[in-house]
C-alpha cells in the first residue's frame, strides 16, 4: 500500500522512492528489528539493507493484514552503515 503524499515527501526530503525502498525487502542480507521507540499505537519495525540500486537504506514500516506499509525510507547514516556492516556478515 503506497500513500502518494507520503511518498512524495520522502522523495523530496530523502531522495528515496518507495518503489526503490520496496526492493530492500528482497535483499537476503537485509536485517529487520523492532522499532520500540516509535511503536506507540502500532507495532513498527525497521529494515536496513541494500536496494536494487545498491544503496543502503533504512526503512520504517508496519505490517497489517499481511500488507507492508512503508512509513519512511532514507539512506543509512554513516553510523548505521557501520553497524550494519559489522553485524550483517
Amino acid at each position: 500500500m503506497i500513500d502518494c503524499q507520503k511518498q512524495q515527501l520522502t522523495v523530496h526530503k530523502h531522495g528515496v522512492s518507495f518503489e526503490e525502498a520496496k526492493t530492500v525487502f528482497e535483499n537476503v542480507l537485509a536485517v529487520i528489528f523492532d522499532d520500540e521507540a516509535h511503536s506507540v499505537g502500532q507495532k513498527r519495525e525497521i529494515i536496513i539493507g541494500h536496494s536494487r540500486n545498491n544503496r543502503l537504506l533504512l526503512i520504517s514500516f508496519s505490517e497489517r493484514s499481511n500488507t507492508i506499509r512503508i512509513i519512511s525510507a532514507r539512506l543509512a547514516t554513516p553510523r548505521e552503515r557501520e553497524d550494519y556492516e559489522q553485524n550483517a556478515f
Side-chain angles (χ1 to χ4, degrees):
M1 173 165 63
I2 297 177
D3 178 334
C4 292
Q5 188 174 19
K6 175 70 100 173
Q7 178 173 238
Q8 289 173 347
L9 178 65
T10 300
V11 170
H12 178 73
K13 186 175 181 181
H14 300 294
V16 178
S17 73
F18 282 6
E19 291 302 317
E20 179 183 3
K22 288 189 322 184
T23 67
V24 173
F25 291 89
E26 301 166 1
N27 182 330
V28 295
L29 296 177
V31 178
I32 296 175
F33 52 94
D34 290 336
D35 185 3
E36 294 176 9
H38 298 103
S39 288
V40 178
Q42 70 175 338
K43 180 182 177 187
R44 290 187 181 191
E45 296 176 90
I46 293 174
I47 185 170
I48 185 168
H50 287 91
S51 71
R52 282 194 188 155
N53 296 344
N54 203 31
R55 300 196 305 166
L56 186 62
L57 303 181
L58 186 107
I59 301 160
S60 173
F61 70 97
S62 65
E63 188 173 351
R64 276 188 245 148
S65 304
N66 294 323
T67 300
I68 293 174
R69 178 178 162 260
I70 295 175
I71 298 165
S72 68
R74 62 174 174 77
L75 292 171
T77 66
R79 174 61 191 241
E80 292 162 345
R81 176 178 291 280
E82 182 180 326
D83 288 346
Y84 173 78
E85 290 171 353
Q86 288 178 0
N87 295 305
F89 301 105

